[in-house]
Amino acid sequence: MAPTKVNIDLQNERNKCTFNVEELTNFLDEGPQNTKNRRELEKKILSIKGIRDEIPEEYLSHKEKYENAVRKSVLLYKAIKDNNDKNTPLEEKIRASFRNVISSAIFKDNSPFMLHNAMFLTAILGQANDEQREYWLKRAENYEILGTYAQTELGHGTFLRGLETQATYDSNTEEFILHSPSITAYKWWPGGLAHTANYCMIMAQLYIKDKNYGLQPFMVQIRDEETHMPLPGIHVGEIGPKLGFNTVNNGFLGFNHARIPRNWMMMKNAQVLKDGTFKASPNSKLVYGTMVYVRVTILNTASIYLAKAVTIAIRYAAIRRQSQLKNGEPEPQILDYVTQQHKLIIAIATAHAYHFTVRWLWDLYVKVNKELGRGQLDNLPEMHSLACALKVISSADCTALIEKCRMACGGHGYMLSSCLPFLYGVSTATCTYEGENTVLLLQTARSLFKAWGQALKGQPLSPSMAYLADKSPSSTFDGTLDGIIKSFQVVAKGKLSASVSSFEQYLASGLDPEDAWNKASIQLTNAAEAHARVLVLTAYKTEVERKTVTLSPPLKTVLHQLLELYFIFWTLEKMGDLLLYTNLSEKDVRVLQKRYEDLLEKIRPNAVGLVDGFDFRDEVLNSTLGAYDGRAYERLMEEAQKSPLNAEPVNESFHKYLKPFLRGKL
Amino acid sequence: MAPTKVNIDLQNERNKCTFNVEELTNFLDEGPQNTKNRRELEKKILSIKGIRDEIPEEYLSHKEKYENAVRKSVLLYKAIKDNNDKNTPLEEKIRASFRNVISSAIFKDNSPFMLHNAMFLTAILGQANDEQREYWLKRAENYEILGTYAQTELGHGTFLRGLETQATYDSNTEEFILHSPSITAYKWWPGGLAHTANYCMIMAQLYIKDKNYGLQPFMVQIRDEETHMPLPGIHVGEIGPKLGFNTVNNGFLGFNHARIPRNWMMMKNAQVLKDGTFKASPNSKLVYGTMVYVRVTILNTASIYLAKAVTIAIRYAAIRRQSQLKNGEPEPQILDYVTQQHKLIIAIATAHAYHFTVRWLWDLYVKVNKELGRGQLDNLPEMHSLACALKVISSADCTALIEKCRMACGGHGYMLSSCLPFLYGVSTATCTYEGENTVLLLQTARSLFKAWGQALKGQPLSPSMAYLADKSPSSTFDGTLDGIIKSFQVVAKGKLSASVSSFEQYLASGLDPEDAWNKASIQLTNAAEAHARVLVLTAYKTEVERKTVTLSPPLKTVLHQLLELYFIFWTLEKMGDLLLYTNLSEKDVRVLQKRYEDLLEKIRPNAVGLVDGFDFRDEVLNSTLGAYDGRAYERLMEEAQKSPLNAEPVNESFHKYLKPFLRGKL
């Protein structure tokens, strides 16, 4: 088979697609110019000599993986630096970059430089005063220094007040003394920290004259700029292999009375004067801005990871043939099995749902951020609570569906060359980092609990929780999309109400409020998840309806079919809750099930067109199963030939170990 | 902290355990003598010099991992061979070995020899006639040859009739000519096939004089016994890295007109005479025996993998302290959070549920196998259908809970040194191999569909499906364990009935039966899962009640608490189905929720004792987080120090790539 020929089954799928795929791509990119820019950047970066691997990373040792990743990182980041457009406002640049994923053509498992941009620069922007910002941002943006950000410690993550690293002010020398008082105080996890970064922003407990002033951010030089040797008082190294991110060089960092100048404490929000006077931050809530930003980007990556996984799985399902539906007929494409459609089409719809939700949330973020700049903080709690709840379900849903996509590819999905295990590895991490999901659900539950009390008192609620104040919501189920949103609101309210009652009963039984809260916490997290469900359904529907107005009818139709499928899927998935809190009937369930099965049938012919519309280049997908031409078997075999083990017909271990064993000479 | 000292939190947990842990271990081992034998074997194997890694496997390159695995395999299998007790009947030996997992102290990711015993020997036993068996079994059991088993092809898995490999009989030379007519015909996946095994049992399409006689098993020599070079007409190599099993040396195998003698076709079930006469098998169903056996062992490994994962997660949850429940109090153990108990205690109960279920199923298997030996096949379909359904939910449940255990350990669960990602990797594979789970659910649905028809006609049903014939099952929910089983039967019946109706409606709408089946297949798989749920609930309850009679009251109490928790958990989990098909009320749900929360509180003090009772040695757990002494942070740090990257303060990539980049000299 010639390399350029497209698998006939895949070609047939494309022939029967009812909409214009390029129109979909432009729509997802928010305009043809964005598509053009993205493709040009991709092309430019892929044309850099040596930037892609000849032998896949997964054959290398852990050390070789790192060295190879540094080699490629300097090529990639040089290009990113050269490409930096300083004229476009940052917020626009970020929005336009939501679908820029070219780095995954270079790294299946990310770069050791990734935290320099993602966290180090962000932390400087959020924590440095003007003078500090001028100095550090310039050096960092020009890549004169390479940085990372360290907060989590070996023994402490979620509970920030529990962090142990100390920064003690010495007014004699006007320095801070950084110290890790125990093994659990070691910083642990930051990408690039181990052998790559020479600077690091750390969070530490500030002490002045034996008094603790809470967590503050400090810039630390960890390695000599000339020799890269760790500086005195710095104990730095790598933490070892992980489920993913194995080219990221995650590190640990311990301090033994290391000293930094006074003005290396980042002083945007709080200051320490020369004499040791502490000037508190005018508003400590400002730090939430960065957290919210990071969580919005998690929503975006969750949606991108899932879009990639389902592109791979749908294309493979179109070329894989298996079993017999009917005697005497050829083996059908596995995409024709309704159970397979059930696994995969919801994954397309979910990638869309979060695609729209993140853009809706970004608009809000930009608005709230502008308000913050004017010192107006009213909408920050709402923004923070939305970002919490949506971070949780986007990461959880997308991770679960990526794994479903992988398993829908059978054994071949288990091959690293399919790229699906890598996608799972980086995606599942988002459920844990930047706020562990259960912890965030409990935080969301706190906001809901508070809102519930306010609603009872007739006080105004933030827009996303306003439905809690609806005194007599109709528990009549109707199958329209708006009706489904209403029903999910009724469910969220019902679950919140039940957990509040449960909490109150535990309280009445004699428990302390904290213990009563703990005992009711399973129900509280369920209520928080139900609320998050309302948010996504609402955002997805609002945005699709608002944004598809100018699209051609065929594309509009299929985008609305996906929207409807998403709504019906979740109605069936949460059937128990709806039976409990609305008047949903057994007959309704049967009707919904039929409607769902019919929607799968309607969307099925456009499945390949829909994933083609995500417009991931083969290099970006990095997958033997998912390439545009559908030559999955050939690629699996070609990729296997790259194994260094396959370079020799007989491995030396035969002579050394195996033969003596088989001869009974051990 | 002295290495031998146990973490104080963990010690306190052990002090408050209400039952005798050794009694639990003996109970799980089915007798103190079995515990003793197991421990002695473990000790013996661990005392072999060099059998454990100094540098963890995960730091090595793919090739080095393999070479190291061969090195360790010869040591392990030599010991296993020496330990082989030829006097105990095979069935007893297998049962006694259910909790023998010492090999996981040597391999986190299994041995390249694993298929020799697990499949090659099994295939010889199941497929060879007496004469062949005498010859091959002896060579294989003595490890004169090393074998594997190859069925799946690059393009074909589930659908056996679709396999392409050809074995064409040449009556002139009395040989079979083995041939792979295309790339998709390549055998793909078998462990040890790539560079380790020198023999292989393969499944191929038998052709005699251009006529196809279906799939038959053939012995093939793939490598020279002396030189280990692949033989003429054999194209063999490795398939590359995977999500797990990276030390197993999974391989591909293609034939180019390779020849084998006539009597290398395994002729227990069908024969080819010298002149090319084909003699069909007296009963083709006999091959099901092996499939059933393998699926029973999957149930067992699923339960073991989960028991390990939850041992790690519970011990870590006992030593990890985080956040504050109450102002001014120290950070609590995370095991005190009810959300954490909700994640983990069901995992202990599930490991127990499948522990009991597999022993119940094994008894049945032994019985049915004896009947087969007498030519009595009546109970084979029932046995086959039970093994199908139970393989599906054991693999799916345990895999999902292993992942829940990993995520319950936060970031540290993501470290390979926790061993949790390895456990997930080997466990998730069981959802795909030996019958992909969705495919098996559809097979189960076929049996149910057939039984449903028989029930309507008043024909007798097999014991496990007899409840389908109950004409007027009570839809009254009562919260006793028997009542819950009854309700789950009502659900399974309801779901089956709904899918049959749906199928019939699709049929009535003009679809072919195959298309109607396909359209109803989501509902059919749900019905099959509901049936499997009934089986596990029934088996778990029956066995606990039967086997705990002679136990001491404290242990009996906690085992019954776990049983009850398991029942309530699933009742709440499947609330929607119960609301739909029984008279379960909102009030019942509230009562069940409270009962569940109270059970967590009751079991919580015994959580560490329960996982200690699984009696996994530290070497077997192979986990920084899960060791008996609870020194998780120290072990994480010690393990990180083993990284070859940490052997040098500055990696050479700094001078080669990073410094020129930071100096702008790229």
Side-chain angles (χ1 to χ4, degrees), chain A residues 220-290:
Chain A
V220 192
Q221 182 176 359
I222 49 179
R223 289 176 177 272
D224 184 271
E225 290 190 27
E226 197 58 39
T227 65
H228 214 52
M229 282 295 287
L231 295 184
I234 302 284
H235 181 207
V236 67
E238 81 127 0
I239 63 172
K242 296 131 296 177
L243 176 52
F245 292 100
N246 280 306
T247 45
V248 165
N249 198 224
N250 300 84
F252 64 76
L253 172 62
F255 299 103
N256 185 8
H257 302 95
R259 287 176 170 261
I260 55 168
R262 183 184 62 90
N263 68 356
W264 283 28
M265 172 172 141
M266 295 290 107
M267 300 211 193
K268 180 174 182 180
N269 303 316
Q271 287 97 44
V272 173
L273 306 186
K274 287 187 184 177
D275 64 354
T277 306
F278 179 77
K279 293 186 76 175
S281 160
N283 199 311
S284 63
K285 281 192 181 151
L286 280 172
V287 297
Y288 283 103
T290 314

Side-chain angles (χ1 to χ4, degrees), chain B residues 23 27 544-553 555-556 560:
Chain B
E23 186 186 0
F27 176 65
V544 167
E545 291 185 345
R546 194 166 69 87
K547 291 191 171 162
T548 58
V549 179
T550 56
L551 293 183
S552 71
L555 179 56
K556 206 191 293 182
H560 277 82

Side-chain angles (χ1 to χ4, degrees), chain A residues 238 403 414 424 506 597 643, chain B residues 238 403 424-425 506 597 643:
Chain A
E238 81 127 0
E403 199 58 351
Y414 196 75
Y424 183 70
Y506 282 127
E597 287 158 5
S643 170
Chain B
E238 80 128 1
E403 198 59 350
Y424 183 70
Y506 283 126
E597 288 158 5
S643 170

Side-chain angles (χ1 to χ4, degrees), chain B residues 103-331:
Chain B
S103 74
S104 60
I106 323 297
F107 305 99
K108 287 180 181 171
D109 225 5
N110 285 305
S111 155
F113 291 16
M114 72 178 280
L115 256 61
H116 180 86
N117 289 343
M119 294 293 294
F120 186 62
L121 287 179
T122 313
I124 293 172
L125 284 167
Q127 313 285 357
N129 65 26
D130 291 347
E131 192 187 335
Q132 293 172 325
R133 182 170 161 152
E134 167 70 17
Y135 177 75
W136 292 107
L137 205 58
K138 196 171 140 263
R139 295 206 76 197
E141 283 189 333
N142 289 340
Y143 293 101
E144 292 164 26
I145 60 175
L146 203 70
T148 183
Y149 177 85
Q151 179 171 302
T152 298
E153 295 171 356
L154 186 53
H156 313 276
T158 292
F159 186 59
L160 296 186
R161 275 181 290 156
L163 292 177
E164 293 180 69
T165 305
Q166 301 164 347
T168 307
Y169 187 60
D170 177 352
S171 58
N172 296 325
T173 60
E174 291 176 23
E175 288 172 320
F176 292 103
I177 306 163
L178 302 178
H179 191 61
S180 313
S182 69
I183 183 179
T184 47
Y186 267 66
K187 296 294 177 189
W188 191 271
W189 279 116
L193 175 62
H195 301 89
T196 317
N198 47 17
Y199 284 79
C200 182
M201 178 94 85
I202 66 153
M203 296 301 288
Q205 302 284 359
L206 170 63
Y207 287 90
I208 307 172
K209 294 178 190 135
D210 295 332
K211 189 175 164 197
N212 181 355
Y213 290 87
L215 281 185
Q216 302 296 338
F218 300 85
M219 182 67 81
V220 193
Q221 182 176 0
I222 49 179
R223 290 177 176 270
D224 183 89
E225 290 189 27
E226 197 59 39
T227 66
H228 213 52
M229 282 295 288
L231 295 183
I234 302 287
H235 180 207
V236 67
E238 80 128 1
I239 63 172
K242 297 131 296 178
L243 175 53
F245 292 100
N246 281 306
T247 44
V248 165
N249 198 224
N250 300 84
F252 64 75
L253 172 62
F255 299 103
N256 184 9
H257 302 96
R259 286 175 171 262
I260 54 168
R262 183 184 61 89
N263 66 355
W264 284 27
M265 172 173 142
M266 295 290 106
M267 301 211 192
K268 181 175 182 179
N269 303 316
Q271 288 96 44
V272 173
L273 306 186
K274 287 186 184 178
D275 64 353
T277 305
F278 179 77
K279 294 186 75 174
S281 160
N283 198 311
S284 62
K285 282 193 180 148
L286 279 173
V287 297
Y288 283 103
T290 313
M291 267 165 63
V292 167
Y293 165 72
V294 174
R295 286 175 190 161
V296 176
T297 63
I298 289 177
L299 235 75
N300 180 56
T301 46
S303 148
I304 293 275
Y305 292 148
L306 179 57
K308 281 177 166 181
V310 74
T311 301
I312 296 166
I314 288 275
R315 286 182 181 161
Y316 179 67
I319 68 105
R320 174 76 173 185
R321 289 179 166 272
Q322 185 171 289
S323 297
Q324 275 185 324
L325 274 168
K326 295 179 187 179
N327 270 333
E329 290 196 2
E331 297 187 53

Side-chain angles (χ1 to χ4, degrees), chain B residues 473-530:
Chain B
S474 164
S475 64
T476 308
F477 177 83
D478 88 69
T480 64
L481 302 196
D482 283 326
I484 290 172
I485 291 178
K486 284 250 175 297
S487 291
F488 271 82
Q489 290 176 342
V490 171
V491 166
K493 242 183 115 163
K495 283 181 167 266
L496 182 58
S497 165
S499 21
V500 173
S501 302
S502 187
F503 166 77
E504 282 166 353
Q505 278 164 31
Y506 283 126
L507 212 56
S509 79
L511 292 186
D512 288 341
E514 297 86 353
D515 294 326
W517 178 267
N518 191 20
K519 270 224 90 163
S521 59
I522 301 169
Q523 297 178 63
L524 286 160
T525 53
N526 289 342
E529 195 226 314

